[in-house]
Amino acid sequence: MKQPKDNIVSAEQNRKIVEDAVAEWRAGNPEAFYKILDDDVLWTVIGSTEVSGTYTSRQAFIDGAVRKIGNRVDGQVKPEIVDIVTEGDRLVFRWDGSGRMADGTPYHNRYSWAMTFKNGKVVEGTAYLDTALVNTLMALPNP
């Protein structure tokens, strides 16, 4: 008798998972994207900003980076897909994020998130972004 294999998800299915999560995010539910992260995701934000570093769980990433940025943005950052490139279990999601900083300054950042999927969830990711802009954002008072 064959042993059950991991739930193998194709590169195109991983692409659809990201596209669907981004569509929900754009519709006003930014948490939709974070639901595709594995509970134990290893997520790295590059650079030397206040939110840079490696997070060892979805909740640590949300608490250590997402909320800190979100507290300094007026409303939410709206994602616009630039490109999604897939190969096997790896996916690179390039996107533009636009919104306003809490002080009214326009916020436009270009992101590139390199992710590894397993069983339809992101188990590892690295976020590349304009860290100088993040430093400007993080210099705003935390409400």
Side-chain angles (χ1 to χ4, degrees):
M1 181 180 209
K2 286 186 175 179
Q3 294 294 321
K5 293 183 178 180
D6 281 345
N7 179 18
I8 297 173
V9 179
S10 75
E12 283 308 307
Q13 289 169 312
N14 290 337
R15 174 193 298 270
K16 179 142 178 44
I17 289 167
V18 170
E19 289 171 339
D20 290 349
V22 171
E24 280 191 59
W25 183 354
R26 288 183 55 76
N29 181 17
E31 291 80 22
F33 190 85
Y34 305 106
K35 289 180 182 175
I36 72 171
L37 302 180
D38 188 79
D39 288 343
D40 296 319
V41 68
L42 185 66
W43 192 271
T44 300
V45 178
I46 61 115
S48 56
T49 72
E50 184 178 327
V51 299
S52 295
T54 299
Y55 301 92
T56 57
S57 71
R58 174 177 51 207
Q59 195 59 53
F61 172 54
I62 290 170
D63 293 343
V66 176
R67 285 201 177 115
K68 287 180 179 180
I69 289 171
N71 287 342
R72 291 170 175 87
V73 174
D74 183 11
Q76 73 175 41
V77 175
K78 286 271 191 182
E80 184 69 41
I81 295 173
V82 173
D83 195 16
I84 296 176
V85 178
T86 62
E87 183 177 312
D89 62 354
R90 296 184 181 262
L91 182 146
V92 175
F93 168 41
R94 293 188 320 128
W95 61 283
D96 289 336
S98 296
R100 293 213 167 272
M101 296 184 201
D103 68 355
T105 303
Y107 178 86
H108 301 290
N109 207 334
R110 165 95 14 125
Y111 299 84
S112 185
W113 287 357
M115 299 177 278
T116 302
F117 278 77
K118 183 175 181 184
N119 302 327
K121 292 282 191 177
V122 177
V123 294
E124 185 176 347
T126 301
Y128 301 90
L129 61 156
D130 179 348
T131 56
L133 182 59
V134 171
N135 279 333
T136 299
L137 180 67
M138 297 310 293
L140 296 175
N142 187 2

